[in-house]
């Protein structure tokens, strides 16, 4: 795996191009550790995850599907799988926005990872599939949960049960990705979007993400209670005061 940080944006590149960046045990635990470290790094404001070569991530390495879960009683195997599923949990629950730059094939657990990001930009040649039923398994890393919230329950269920491939334009039409660009423009387009988000106040961005997470799991009254607390908190930060000063200065110039 490759990681670089430029101007507050961390670029994480899955780097097994000879295996279409399929996830083995080593890559999973390296990715999890890196995500947790970057979410805690005050110099990082936005995360981008992508893949090396011609794929984003082809999912779990089908040459050894039992590598992560290992042997032993089924509850122990499930617990080991749940541990690596923290990858998707960290992407979704973390305090920093995540953009999936989908440069090519995005399948199985790779689609789960992309779906756990805050939004997704795809290269025009990218292809997608849930893939799990094709290898006789039900799925991991939370794809039904994430895809249901992105696409709706009926479409998410269809993608799983039909297990067909679809292209970037189809992904855009259904709302799975938020933009499609030529492959050669993908990095620049994602960098442009990441830079815009990185310019905002980190505490305010973290509060916005928390608001949207609460919006799908709480009743309206509870949501308003939490939203009000976050608004008051962010309003009292130095970042907010500086932002107000810049806003007023622009207004005076205009």
């Amino acid at each position: 795996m490759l990681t670089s940080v430029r101007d507050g944006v961390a670029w994480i590149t899955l780097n097994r191009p000879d295996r279409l960046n399929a996830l083995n045990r080593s890559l999973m635990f390296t990715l999890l550790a890196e995500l947790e470290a970057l979410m805690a790094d005050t110099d990082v404001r936005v995360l981008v995850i992508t893949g090396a070569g011609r794929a984003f991530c082809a999912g779990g390495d089908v040459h050894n599907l039992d590598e992560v879960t290992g042997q032993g009683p089924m509850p122990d195997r499930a617990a080991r799988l749940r541990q690596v599923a923290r990858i998707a949990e960290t992407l979704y629950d973390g305090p920093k926005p995540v953009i999936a730059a989908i440069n090519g094939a995005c399948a199985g657990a790779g689609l789960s990872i992309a779906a756990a990001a805050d939004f997704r930009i795809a290269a025009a040649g990218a292809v997608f599939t849930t893939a799990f039923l094709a290898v006789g398994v039900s799925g991991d890393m939370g794809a039904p949960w994430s895809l249901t919230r992105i696409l709706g329950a009926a479409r998410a269920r269809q993608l799983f049960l039909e297990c067909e491939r679809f292209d970037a334009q189809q992904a855009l039409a259904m709302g799975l990705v938020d933009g499609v660009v030529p492959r050669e423009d993908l990095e620049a387009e994602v960098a442009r979007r990441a830079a815009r988000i990185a310019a905002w106040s980190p505490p305010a961005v973290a509060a916005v993400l928390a608001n949207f997470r609460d919006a799908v799991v709480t009743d309206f009254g509870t949501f308003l209670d939490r939203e009000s607390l976050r608004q008051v908190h962010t309003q009292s930060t130095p970042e907010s005061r500086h932002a107000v000063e810049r806003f007023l200065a622009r207004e005076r110039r205009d």
Side-chain angles (χ1 to χ4, degrees):
M1 197 177 69
L2 305 173
T3 304
S4 64
V5 179
R6 306 191 298 269
D7 300 320
V9 179
W11 291 77
I12 306 161
T13 303
L14 305 177
N15 191 33
R16 295 186 74 207
D18 56 320
R19 297 292 307 139
L20 300 181
N21 302 315
L23 300 167
N24 61 6
R25 179 181 176 84
S26 175
L27 181 54
M28 284 181 176
F29 279 102
T30 301
L31 176 59
L32 176 59
E34 192 72 358
L35 288 173
E36 291 176 337
L38 291 168
M39 286 292 182
D41 188 339
T42 56
D43 291 331
V44 172
R45 296 188 169 201
V46 179
L47 280 65
V48 175
I49 185 164
T50 191
R54 60 192 180 93
F56 175 76
C57 176
D61 195 330
V62 295
H63 289 272
N64 193 354
L65 285 177
D66 291 332
E67 181 186 21
V68 174
T69 59
Q71 304 300 314
M74 196 166 294
D76 293 345
R77 296 172 63 197
R80 287 191 284 270
L81 185 60
R82 177 63 180 89
Q83 187 177 8
V84 296
R86 285 170 51 207
I87 291 169
E89 192 172 16
T90 302
L91 290 169
Y92 181 82
D93 278 338
K96 297 171 184 178
V98 181
I99 304 172
I102 303 170
N103 54 302
C106 181
L111 181 56
S112 301
I113 287 172
D118 293 288
F119 59 95
R120 292 147 291 281
I121 308 298
V127 292
F128 302 79
T129 178
T130 54
F132 295 112
L133 286 178
V135 292
V137 298
S138 59
D140 57 3
M141 294 222 193
W145 192 94
S146 300
L147 290 176
T148 294
R149 283 158 176 77
I150 296 168
L151 305 175
R155 177 54 66 88
R157 193 176 292 118
Q158 176 195 358
L159 293 183
F160 259 77
L161 293 176
E162 293 186 348
C163 199
E164 292 181 345
R165 291 173 54 154
F166 53 97
D167 63 25
Q169 288 299 331
Q170 290 171 300
L172 180 65
M174 71 176 69
L176 176 60
V177 301
D178 304 281
V180 176
V181 297
R183 182 185 174 91
E184 61 269 21
D185 297 335
L186 180 63
E187 183 175 345
E189 173 63 13
V190 171
R192 181 187 68 80
R193 292 180 181 236
R196 180 171 178 81
I197 298 169
W200 304 131
S201 158
V205 169
V208 165
L209 293 177
N211 280 343
F212 276 96
R213 287 193 295 268
D214 281 345
V216 296
V217 296
T218 65
D219 62 83
F220 193 38
T222 301
F223 175 83
L224 291 174
D225 291 342
R226 296 177 182 180
E227 181 190 51
S228 298
L229 285 171
R230 292 180 183 124
Q231 173 74 351
V232 171
H233 170 73
T234 55
Q235 191 174 334
S236 66
T237 62
E239 290 89 350
S240 177
R241 290 194 292 272
H242 295 156
V244 169
E245 290 168 2
R246 290 193 297 271
F247 180 86
L248 293 175
R250 287 195 301 271
E251 192 175 65
R252 287 192 293 270
R253 288 197 301 271
D254 295 340

